[in-house]
Amino acid sequence: LSGAFALWMIGGCSLKNVENLQETGKILSETVEDISETSETDDGYISGDYDKEDLDAVWSESTSTMIQCDGKSVSITGNGATADGTTVKITEAGDYVFSGSLEEGQIQIDADKEDMVHIILNGLTASSSSGAVIEGIQNEKMILTLAEGTTNTLSDASDYGFEEGDEGEPNACIFSKDDISVNGSGTLIVNGSYQDGIRSKDDLKVVSGTLKVTAVRHGLKGKDSVSVREGSLTIQAGEDGIKADNDTDEGKGFVVLDGGTFAVTAGQDGIQAETILQVNGGSGSISTGGGSVDTLYEARGLKAGKALYLKGGTFVIDSSDDSIHSDNQLLVLGGNLRILKSYEGMEGLNVTIQDGDIQVTASDDGINSAGGSDTRMAGRPGQNGFAEGSDASIRISGGEILVKASGDGIDSNGDFYMEGGRVTVEGPEDSGNGALDYDGTAEIIGGTFIGTGMTGMAQGFSDTSSQYSAMVGFSKT
């Protein structure tokens, strides 16, 4: 290896660049205003919107329709449901309690658009040989309550009988054209053998419970949104673990994590939102694309199309591509992030870090705006389509950040602003990268930056900085 060793030592403190922060806040606030289906918190960001019925897991045998399944026979006590062999059809609002074993059967919900249908899974094992196990044809909302102390297992067919190339519906073990909410303290095991595990064409909410989902394609999918309040979620998906994909309505296509514990293993993205992905809380692990040992797949840990907000929670990520990626705004407000392995650790058109305890390990760039100059060959599967000449930037105003990168430690295809916090970069050992790389200006007005790396591509802070910095080079490594 050629080149020498360089050490950046920058310290001290000064006032934050308030004007720049206000401008960043304005952009992010405008994005948040587009999201109409969530609750706005005191600081202007979003959390999941959970209605009273979403939180209500109470049921009574005396006021419910009881449905006892015994293999290939079904007995019903109460109103609103009928059975045709092993197919149970629900046609009106009410509480429906399922227990026993249902073989080669199906639960269909076809009620009025205003009807709230409450299904209690009270120890049910059910399978379908021709389609979904639970299919919501029409209703206002399907509420699934997992009864306390029970384990419920649902397994759909591997072939729904659609013609080749036809992506018809339903296409999930639990499917609804309307809203789905899951609550209760029991366990739900879902085997999505055809495509998805649980899918709503509107909003999908997990309020509580233990969910173990295995799916050929997506684990949890809500077209308009996915919100998780609490619960334990274990997801193994051939494609995305959790996904919201409405790309035609700016007020939809979002994912909000308010809490819960997660163990997500996905062939593609771990958690993906077409518009906004906001993490307010929760904890767990996310592994995508076989992990960082396989860099051939465009598989991100957390991915957002419009904006990604990290406000809280503790997550460990091992991804074959970017661990944290937004096509536009990436904002870290706090939380505990451990990116154990990644191709690039954090990436967005504009990356803003205001607080948090962050550790990033990357085989290429640690923190990157607008894609960067990837060391992998052009046209790699994970290469990003950011527009040339975009107003890319990285802004750090707080937090404790450690970056270990084989590529550039911090790489901005625009400007870099250091306004507060502490950044330590253990940079590259080859001369084609540096601890700090930028195409515009790099200004430090506060905080502490310490970086090490080879001098071949080394850059220091711009002369326009209001805080002093020192760059020390050595004749040999």
Side-chain angles (χ1 to χ4, degrees):
L1 298 176
S2 61
F5 181 80
L7 171 66
W8 290 259
M9 300 194 316
I10 296 107
C13 61
S14 65
L15 293 175
K16 292 181 180 179
N17 190 329
V18 177
E19 183 177 337
N20 287 332
L21 285 176
Q22 288 176 338
E23 181 61 27
T24 301
K26 179 182 177 182
I27 295 172
L28 296 173
S29 296
E30 289 172 352
T31 304
V32 171
E33 287 175 1
D34 291 335
I35 303 301
S36 58
E37 297 296 328
T38 56
S39 298
E40 188 171 315
T41 59
D42 292 339
D43 53 13
Y45 299 102
I46 59 175
S47 62
D49 185 13
Y50 307 99
D51 299 326
K52 180 179 179 181
E53 61 269 15
D54 298 326
L55 306 175
D56 188 4
V58 177
W59 60 278
S60 171
E61 184 173 339
S62 61
T63 58
S64 301
T65 297
M66 306 300 294
I67 302 171
Q68 178 64 40
C69 303
D70 186 14
K72 293 190 176 181
S73 64
V74 178
S75 61
I76 300 175
T77 303
N79 301 319
T82 58
D84 182 5
T86 56
T87 299
V88 178
K89 189 170 184 179
I90 297 172
T91 56
E92 61 185 56
D95 295 348
Y96 300 86
V97 182
F98 286 82
S99 58
S101 175
L102 184 64
E103 300 175 8
E104 299 182 9
Q106 188 178 59
I107 301 169
Q108 294 181 352
I109 301 171
D110 193 1
D112 290 339
K113 291 182 179 181
E114 296 79 19
D115 284 349
M116 200 81 65
V117 176
H118 186 192
I119 295 179
I120 297 95
L121 300 180
N122 189 34
L124 176 69
T125 299
S127 63
S128 172
S129 60
S130 60
V133 176
I134 300 178
E135 180 182 358
I137 300 171
Q138 179 176 281
N139 65 136
E140 181 177 350
K141 181 184 295 185
M142 177 200 305
I143 302 172
L144 297 177
T145 291
L146 312 179
E148 182 179 0
T150 67
T151 297
N152 306 273
T153 303
L154 308 181
S155 305
D156 68 349
S158 58
D159 184 359
Y160 280 24
F162 296 121
E163 295 183 5
E164 186 174 352
D166 182 5
E167 296 186 3
E169 297 171 350
N171 60 353
C173 184
I174 301 175
F175 174 90
S176 179
K177 293 183 178 180
D178 302 293
D179 296 342
I180 300 176
S181 295
V182 181
N183 64 26
S185 59
T187 298
L188 174 61
I189 300 173
V190 177
N191 298 309
S193 303
Y194 178 61
Q195 289 188 9
D196 301 342
I198 303 176
R199 183 185 178 193
S200 165
K201 294 295 293 293
D202 284 337
D203 299 317
L204 172 58
K205 302 175 185 179
V206 177
V207 174
S208 59
T210 298
L211 276 65
K212 300 179 181 180
V213 180
T214 302
V216 172
R217 293 192 65 188
H218 311 302
L220 305 181
K221 184 177 180 180
K223 183 176 179 64
D224 291 346
S225 72
V226 178
S227 302
V228 180
R229 186 174 186 263
E230 293 177 358
S232 173
L233 287 77
T234 301
I235 299 173
Q236 291 186 324
E239 295 185 15
D240 299 332
I242 300 175
K243 182 173 186 175
D245 67 342
N246 191 327
D247 58 359
T248 59
D249 189 335
E250 289 187 355
K252 301 183 185 298
F254 61 88
V255 175
V256 179
L257 305 184
D258 290 313
T261 59
F262 300 81
V264 178
T265 303
Q268 295 183 7
D269 299 326
I271 302 176
Q272 193 259 328
E274 194 67 34
T275 55
I276 286 181
L277 169 55
Q278 173 139 346
V279 181
N280 296 318
S283 63
S285 62
I286 300 172
S287 177
T288 68
S292 62
V293 295
D294 194 341
T295 58
L296 297 178
Y297 298 99
E298 185 179 343
R300 283 75 179 252
L302 303 175
K303 178 185 176 183
K306 192 168 185 179
L308 201 164
Y309 305 148
L310 303 179
K311 185 179 178 184
T314 301
F315 287 88
V316 176
I317 302 175
D318 181 357
S319 63
S320 66
D321 204 317
D322 303 339
S323 285
I324 301 172
H325 175 97
S326 173
D327 292 343
N328 286 290
Q329 307 288 337
L330 169 57
L331 172 62
V332 182
L333 297 166
N336 186 319
L337 298 174
R338 296 290 182 268
I339 301 175
L340 295 183
K341 297 179 180 179
S342 64
Y343 180 68
E344 290 179 337
M346 304 172 68
E347 185 172 61
L349 178 61
N350 301 110
V351 180
T352 301
I353 300 175
Q354 295 184 3
D355 199 359
D357 186 352
I358 302 167
Q359 294 183 13
V360 177
T361 302
S363 60
D364 195 49
D365 301 335
I367 302 175
N368 192 349
S369 69
S373 178
D374 296 316
T375 55
R376 226 185 295 183
M377 68 178 67
R380 67 179 177 86
Q383 193 168 4
N384 307 293
F386 292 100
E388 294 183 4
S390 298
D391 188 18
S393 67
I394 297 175
R395 187 182 303 276
I396 298 173
S397 58
E400 185 77 19
I401 303 164
L402 171 63
V403 177
K404 299 179 181 180
S406 298
D408 297 319
I410 295 179
D411 181 3
S412 175
N413 275 243
D415 299 325
F416 173 58
Y417 302 99
M418 182 75 190
E419 300 170 329
R422 179 182 177 90
V423 177
T424 304
V425 177
E426 296 181 15
E429 297 179 3
D430 69 89
S431 295
N433 295 282
L436 175 61
D437 181 29
Y438 56 90
D439 291 342
T441 61
E443 296 183 355
I444 180 166
I445 67 170
T448 302
F449 183 103
I450 302 173
T452 63
M454 304 301 284
T455 60
M457 299 291 290
Q459 289 182 282
F461 282 92
S462 303
D463 294 339
T464 55
S465 299
S466 61
Q467 181 167 300
Y468 292 120
S469 63
M471 181 171 172
V472 181
F474 298 89
S475 59
K476 55 181 161 182
T477 302

